[in-house]
Amino acid sequence: MKTLIKNGIIVNSDETLRANLLIEGENISQITQSEPDVDLVIDATKKFIFPGLIDMHVHFRDPGFEYKDDVISGSQTAVASGVTTCLPMANTKPVNDNASITRAMIKKAKECGLIDLLPIAAITKSQNGKELTEMGDLLSAGAVAFSDDGLPVSDSSVMRAALEYSKMFGSFCISHSEDCSLCRSGVMHEGKVSAVLGLRGMAREKEEIAVSRDMLLAKLTGGHIHIAHVSSAYSLKIIEMAKRDGINITCEATPHHFTFSDEELLKNAYDTNFKMSPPLREISDVKAVRDALKSGLIDVIATDHAPHHSDEKIVEFDRAPFGILGLQTLVPLTLKLVSEGVISLEKMSALCSANPAKLLRLANKGKIAAGMLADIAIIDPDISYVYDEKINRSKSINSPLFGKRLQGACVKTLKNGKVVFDFAEFGL
């Protein structure tokens, strides 16, 4: 089948150009100014044509917590966001710590047929922080990286071994940077706002200590450490120093950490949809994250999409689980960075597609070019809509933006050359 996407603006990490895009079968055939005869024509006038977005940090809750989301609903949510490749974390039930679970997750995603699912396997068995998983078996089954995510490895000797083994296998470890001994049962950022609200705080140093340790272990082993959802200004200083010294470290930021500060909880007191880990920090930290996105210090934007059932969130702030939805607000919040002059469209393409593809060694993704896989996100920066039950594709609704008017969305997603999402499905 031949498909032509015409009149759009192609956005790669190194250039933008107004041209038509010819797709033949599963691959991009050519970028052209002509309009050849095809089976399907998609008019992308006044829209951006991005390479399919790659989300390196999601929670699909499958297996074990399918009432929150599962691989199918997660895939549907992803393509409604322009995301064609997802990396789900290992904190499932049972934990993704063996090859059979990894293979089952991938099989379910393939049967659904909407996205490429590349699981992140656990660093330690049952995420117990003690005994390493069989990394070689997990990678052979289709896992691409390792993380104990919300249960970070506290034993430095275990983390050292994880970096050594992952390096040997050509992979890497992802750190949910948290010194749990310093958490003190905190539920939000420790500062003026937590004092005003009477909520237990989590000092930003708990993140910075963990980032420092894992950076030093990467220095010791030569392994690749990727820092998940960086949220602290000083964490970014540590990462900048490490990169300057040639340490193999990369990092990601989430849309909620470059959009919201802890002051949102003064306006929306005790709203558990503003509760996440790491927590929303002070305005100075938000500015530091935005500056790091602008400078290129931050490598990737990832959503940390974390669905929770309403019954779990509509409780006292102390009792609610950490985490919010992120996939379907990725595009509008990142486009807001573009409109505010923080990043360019090209930088958005790099952060959301080209850089993740490079880190994951996905040679056929991350760029609009002849011969590349036809994973495409067509984005309309001007479309305005209310993010509500008509739009939402997750089983959960735990987003502080639910019910709010947003601007900018993916209006068509193509996976392997086939249209797998059309905004018209929403009937708005």
Side-chain angles (χ1 to χ4, degrees):
M1 179 173 174
K2 292 184 179 181
T3 300
L4 184 72
I5 305 174
K6 68 176 187 178
N7 301 328
I9 300 171
I10 294 170
V11 183
N12 278 318
S13 61
D14 55 354
E15 66 173 348
T16 59
L17 66 155
R18 191 179 298 276
N20 299 334
L21 186 64
L22 179 62
I23 297 167
E24 296 189 54
E26 295 187 351
N27 298 310
I28 297 168
S29 175
Q30 61 177 304
I31 296 171
T32 178
Q33 298 298 328
S34 64
E35 294 191 24
D37 290 334
V38 294
D39 303 294
L40 174 65
V41 176
I42 298 172
D43 188 356
T45 301
K46 296 183 179 179
K47 298 175 181 65
F48 302 127
I49 305 170
F50 276 76
L53 309 185
I54 300 171
D55 194 339
M56 286 184 60
H57 192 149
V58 301
H59 300 269
F60 282 170
R61 310 302 192 195
D62 189 351
F65 304 99
E66 291 90 347
Y67 66 95
K68 301 183 184 190
D69 250 345
D70 57 31
V71 167
I72 295 171
S73 63
S75 298
Q76 292 168 340
T77 307
V79 295
S81 317
V83 175
T84 54
T85 304
C86 286
L87 279 64
M89 282 290 175
N91 57 336
T92 51
K93 187 177 182 180
V95 171
N96 181 22
D97 61 1
N98 66 81
S100 62
I101 295 173
T102 300
R103 283 192 290 266
M105 294 167 68
I106 294 170
K107 181 173 183 268
K108 191 169 183 178
K110 284 184 176 178
E111 289 172 350
C112 181
L114 295 178
I115 65 168
D116 289 327
L117 187 140
L118 308 176
I120 297 168
I123 291 175
T124 63
K125 294 180 180 180
S126 300
Q127 293 179 289
N128 62 14
K130 297 176 182 178
E131 185 180 358
L132 290 184
T133 55
E134 299 292 339
M135 289 185 167
D137 287 349
L138 285 158
L139 290 170
S140 295
V144 294
F146 301 93
S147 179
D148 275 2
D149 194 48
L151 295 171
V153 177
S154 60
D155 188 322
S156 296
S157 65
V158 174
M159 194 63 182
R160 172 184 179 169
L163 284 163
E164 289 171 337
Y165 276 96
S166 62
K167 177 189 176 185
M168 182 174 68
F169 288 115
S171 186
F172 61 99
C173 292
I174 301 173
S175 173
H176 175 111
S177 301
E178 189 172 35
D179 180 351
C180 293
S181 66
L182 196 60
C183 290
R184 304 173 69 185
S185 301
V187 295
M188 67 169 293
H189 173 69
E190 182 179 308
K192 293 180 181 178
V193 176
S194 65
V196 169
L197 295 175
L199 293 171
R200 286 168 291 183
M202 293 183 283
R204 58 168 67 85
E205 283 77 11
K206 78 180 182 70
E207 176 181 305
E208 296 156 4
I209 290 168
V211 170
S212 299
R213 185 206 67 168
D214 288 343
M215 174 269 291
L216 290 170
L217 290 175
K219 172 177 172 286
L220 172 65
T221 63
H224 176 188
I225 191 72
H226 180 79
I227 306 300
H229 41 47
V230 64
S231 67
S232 153
Y234 206 84
S235 292
L236 289 162
K237 288 184 180 181
I238 296 166
I239 292 166
E240 183 177 29
M241 178 192 71
K243 286 191 172 188
R244 188 170 60 243
D245 289 349
I247 296 169
N248 195 358
I249 188 170
T250 54
C251 65
E252 69 190 38
T254 70
H256 46 273
H257 286 120
F258 63 66
T259 301
F260 302 118
S261 76
D262 61 346
E263 293 189 7
E264 293 293 333
L265 281 164
L266 290 177
K267 307 174 209 173
N268 305 275
Y270 309 108
D271 183 345
T272 60
N273 288 323
F274 287 101
K275 182 180 179 181
M276 65 282 294
S277 181
L280 299 177
R281 301 207 185 274
E282 296 176 17
I283 291 173
S284 58
D285 295 295
V286 177
K287 183 179 184 302
V289 172
R290 291 162 69 93
D291 288 345
L293 287 164
K294 186 172 187 176
S295 71
L297 177 63
I298 292 173
D299 302 274
V300 170
I301 291 175
T303 67
D304 193 10
H305 176 80
H308 290 292
H309 192 275
S310 297
D311 290 349
E312 297 169 318
K313 277 289 193 178
I314 306 176
V315 294
E316 296 88 342
F317 200 91
D318 285 354
R319 295 175 55 206
F322 294 102
I324 64 171
L325 300 181
L327 276 168
Q328 284 186 261
T329 52
L330 167 64
V331 167
L333 293 183
T334 307
L335 281 175
K336 196 167 187 290
L337 285 184
V338 175
S339 66
E340 292 172 347
V342 177
I343 60 172
S344 64
L345 282 169
E346 293 90 343
K347 181 62 71 68
M348 177 176 169
S349 187
L351 289 162
C352 296
S353 192
N355 290 355
K358 182 179 179 181
L359 287 179
L360 297 166
R361 301 179 185 179
L362 305 175
N364 62 348
K365 299 188 181 197
K367 186 177 178 66
I368 303 288
M372 301 294 278
L373 196 63
D375 287 2
I376 308 290
I378 301 176
I379 292 174
D380 185 344
D382 299 319
I383 192 168
S384 178
Y385 56 95
V386 175
Y387 174 43
D388 57 14
E389 64 277 357
K390 291 181 182 178
I391 297 288
N392 184 44
R393 285 294 177 263
S394 171
K395 293 181 181 181
S396 300
I397 60 171
N398 56 308
S399 167
L401 293 170
F402 198 78
K404 303 292 193 299
R405 181 162 291 277
L406 304 178
Q407 181 173 321
C410 176
V411 291
K412 268 192 177 63
T413 304
L414 284 77
K415 179 76 188 82
N416 296 352
K418 296 180 180 178
V419 177
V420 291
F421 168 75
D422 189 332
F423 197 87
E425 294 175 14
F426 294 139
L428 300 180

